[in-house]
Amino acid sequence: MKNKSLLSLIVSLVIVGIGVFAPISAIAEPDPVFKPIIGEIRNKLPSNLVFRLPSRLPGSITNKISPQLTFDVNSERAYLALEDKDCPPRFSRGGRGTRGYNLVCLRFSVASSTLASKYYQDDRQRGSAADAIELSRNQNGYHFQGADWNTVSWVQDNNYFKIYSGSVRRNELIEIARSMVAKSQVINGRSQTVAQQPKSRLTTWREFVEQGGGREIRTDYDLPEEFRNGFVYFNYKLSAIQAYIFKSGLSRYPPINGGIESIDPALGEKYVKSGKAIKFYWNLGNSGLRFANDTQVRFTEKGTGCFRTNCLTAPFMTNEEISRILRSGRSIP
């Protein structure tokens, strides 16, 4: 009788142990909040990327919000943000990238990238402080605890995945990741349009900001989405920096040059005049100091406005639009 009871106990423990780490596959479809964006993901995702969505999100993320989904993709990385469209102004006013926005307005995000991408390589270098966790019996991952926010990351299907939220606790985010590990949640890429673009070393303005900006460029702006998601080329001068930001979705992009100029200025100007790009100019020299405390935007010519030591050229925009963008400048965290 004792042996029979011991055997039953062992079997029960095995079943419980399997239940803890088995992928959550009872719900075949991703959480309903993602339904409006799934078609766009399938159409835009290149074939070398795989995207995963959780089968469920806790109420602490989805309750009492007006969901707004934004999907951003290139040949190396795909990113989906779930935001609250009606986020209180005191948090949303600063825009994306601010601490208040990321903790209150940005409720959840998913990123997927190739293992050869700069995004993964940079993240891996910064991940030494993360804790190793088990997501399934055969899948390990990493949890990082920030100041009131969490991330969970892992490598699967030869892709790197990372989820973020400032609305849930550690264990809740880990459970979300476990639901994503399940095979039933995979979305495979079908589109080759983005993958064919020559951008081996290109990055979007959004990615540039998310990666902390550059040593000399520490300012983000409220750009129209087609430019925020567009590729950026930097040209370094003796005491200035130019940035040509291209529209997203173009059929092709110029190849990147080596050295301190990533694009021929004459070619960059041609794209600006055609409305396919905008140009920022940061004056880092002493000649710009006399404008450092200006309170008004200066318009030196049609389509070019300057505010303090920064200038924006966009011939297809109105002076009001250029002023709004220049005045929206804020520090990159």
Side-chain angles (χ1 to χ4, degrees):
M1 185 70 177
K2 276 187 176 181
N3 289 341
K4 186 174 180 181
S5 299
L6 181 60
L7 179 61
S8 299
L9 177 61
I10 292 173
V11 170
S12 299
L13 289 174
V14 169
I15 292 173
V16 170
I18 292 174
V20 169
F21 298 115
I24 304 170
S25 56
I27 304 175
E29 295 295 326
D31 189 282
V33 75
F34 299 113
K35 187 175 180 180
I37 202 76
I38 291 176
E40 181 179 343
I41 295 174
R42 285 178 174 150
N43 289 331
K44 291 184 176 180
L45 198 67
S47 61
N48 62 324
L49 283 176
V50 173
F51 209 72
R52 291 174 175 268
L53 291 172
S55 60
R56 66 174 184 269
L57 288 178
S60 53
I61 291 178
T62 58
N63 285 351
K64 298 179 180 179
I65 70 168
S66 298
Q68 177 174 288
L69 296 162
T70 304
F71 183 63
D72 178 38
V73 65
N74 59 40
S75 67
E76 295 185 335
R77 178 178 180 248
Y79 176 82
L80 176 64
L82 170 60
E83 301 164 301
D84 182 4
K85 187 165 54 177
D86 295 335
C87 188
R90 66 181 183 276
F91 299 112
S92 61
R93 190 177 295 115
R96 292 177 181 174
T98 62
R99 174 176 167 80
Y101 192 94
N102 286 335
L103 288 178
V104 181
C105 305
L106 177 61
R107 309 307 290 267
F108 180 75
S109 70
V110 184
S112 170
S113 72
T114 65
L115 300 186
S117 68
K118 185 177 184 297
Y119 175 79
Y120 171 62
Q121 298 300 329
D122 289 347
D123 227 35
R124 186 172 61 172
Q125 293 175 9
R126 292 193 293 260
S128 58
D131 299 322
I133 55 174
E134 289 183 271
L135 298 177
S136 74
R137 294 177 67 189
N138 301 310
Q139 181 68 59
N140 294 325
Y142 294 91
H143 169 265
F144 182 82
Q145 179 67 58
D148 300 321
W149 53 268
N150 296 269
T151 65
V152 175
S153 59
W154 69 97
V155 173
Q156 188 178 8
D157 300 325
N158 204 35
N159 273 224
Y160 174 63
F161 298 91
K162 183 177 181 178
I163 59 176
Y164 160 93
S165 182
S167 304
V168 296
R169 297 178 180 177
R170 173 185 185 274
N171 290 341
E172 288 180 297
L173 196 66
I174 291 174
E175 286 304 314
I176 293 173
R178 285 176 176 159
S179 82
M180 295 174 65
V181 167
K183 289 291 184 183
S184 60
Q185 310 306 323
V186 174
I187 298 177
N188 292 304
R190 299 178 182 177
S191 171
Q192 290 293 318
T193 304
V194 179
Q196 291 172 348
Q197 296 170 2
K199 47 189 179 332
S200 58
R201 288 181 292 158
L202 287 176
T203 186
T204 66
W205 180 261
R206 181 191 295 276
E207 291 169 334
F208 174 74
V209 171
E210 289 174 350
Q211 292 165 9
R215 186 172 59 183
E216 295 90 355
I217 303 174
R218 306 292 305 164
T219 307
D220 186 20
Y221 303 88
D222 289 337
L223 297 178
E225 285 301 303
E226 64 264 29
F227 290 108
R228 177 164 290 278
N229 296 325
F231 296 117
V232 58
Y233 297 72
F234 291 104
N235 284 358
Y236 293 87
K237 307 293 183 181
L238 184 61
S239 59
I241 301 175
Q242 292 176 334
Y244 293 91
I245 306 176
F246 283 64
K247 275 187 175 180
S248 61
L250 300 182
S251 59
R252 57 183 299 176
Y253 293 86
I256 192 168
N257 295 336
I260 60 175
E261 289 193 347
S262 62
I263 187 174
D264 176 20
L267 180 60
E269 295 298 327
K270 185 181 297 185
Y271 275 91
V272 171
K273 290 178 180 177
S274 68
K276 296 179 180 178
I278 60 176
K279 181 180 73 173
F280 272 101
Y281 177 91
W282 292 272
N283 188 339
L284 307 179
N286 293 332
S287 62
L289 295 179
R290 60 194 175 112
F291 303 114
N293 297 316
D294 280 3
T295 58
Q296 300 296 322
V297 176
R298 312 181 308 277
F299 288 92
T300 57
E301 58 184 274
K302 180 175 171 53
T304 296
C306 298
F307 185 53
R308 296 173 182 165
T309 58
N310 303 340
C311 296
L312 169 62
T313 299
F316 52 92
M317 290 185 181
T318 65
N319 287 355
E320 289 75 17
E321 290 174 308
I322 293 173
S323 294
R324 180 189 59 77
I325 293 174
L326 287 171
R327 289 181 176 279
S328 71
R330 58 191 175 276
S331 297
I332 297 174

